[in-house]
Amino acid sequence: GQALASNGALKLEILQLDVNRIGDQGATVIGHYLTSNGAMKLKWLELNNNQIADAGATAIGQALASNGALKLEILQLDVNRIGDQGATVIGHYLTSNGAMKLKWLELNNNQIADAGATAIGQALASN
């Protein structure tokens, strides 16, 4: 994460780290990367099956909402432990300028219940 954030990945368009144990701590570091110049060209972020819960999803959602990775088109966070809190922050990201290019969002097989689904649904309806 720190190597990516230090502008060492200025041409990186796809970051796929599926089926690892990134967790909330790793997702927070990836969030820092997303706010760096290194993420300027990132179009696809795939972090499926990584034990990411609300804290990690919050870090990623907040980073993206603060105009991190403005060219992001695909965000995949399937098979994690994201609940309503993380989904609500991702919903906030969807209403931000940072999500202008986003075309594909996957949150399958998480722990999102009514509140999180409502937040995402309202965000999508407002765009």
Side-chain angles (χ1 to χ4, degrees):
Q2 292 175 345
L4 291 172
S6 68
N7 297 336
L10 287 173
K11 295 180 181 181
L12 189 68
E13 293 185 10
I14 299 171
L15 179 59
Q16 293 176 305
L17 293 168
D18 293 339
V19 193
N20 287 290
R21 296 181 188 163
I22 290 172
D24 287 336
Q25 183 177 4
T28 299
V29 173
I30 290 170
H32 292 303
Y33 156 66
L34 293 172
T35 61
S36 74
N37 289 337
M40 288 175 25
K41 294 190 177 192
L42 190 68
K43 294 180 180 179
W44 184 345
L45 178 61
E46 188 172 328
L47 299 172
N48 299 324
N49 200 358
N50 273 298
Q51 302 173 0
I52 297 169
D54 284 333
T58 295
I60 289 170
Q62 288 175 338
L64 292 171
S66 68
N67 295 335
L70 283 171
K71 294 186 178 187
L72 192 68
E73 295 178 7
I74 300 169
L75 176 60
Q76 294 176 284
L77 295 168
D78 297 331
V79 193
N80 282 292
R81 299 176 183 166
I82 299 167
D84 289 337
Q85 179 187 358
T88 298
V89 175
I90 290 170
H92 175 69
Y93 154 63
L94 294 173
T95 63
S96 73
N97 288 336
M100 288 179 12
K101 300 252 182 192
L102 192 71
K103 298 176 182 176
W104 189 309
L105 173 64
E106 285 188 20
L107 294 167
N108 301 316
N109 201 4
N110 278 284
Q111 298 172 0
I112 300 169
D114 290 345
T118 298
I120 289 172
Q122 288 175 341
L124 293 171
S126 72
N127 286 342

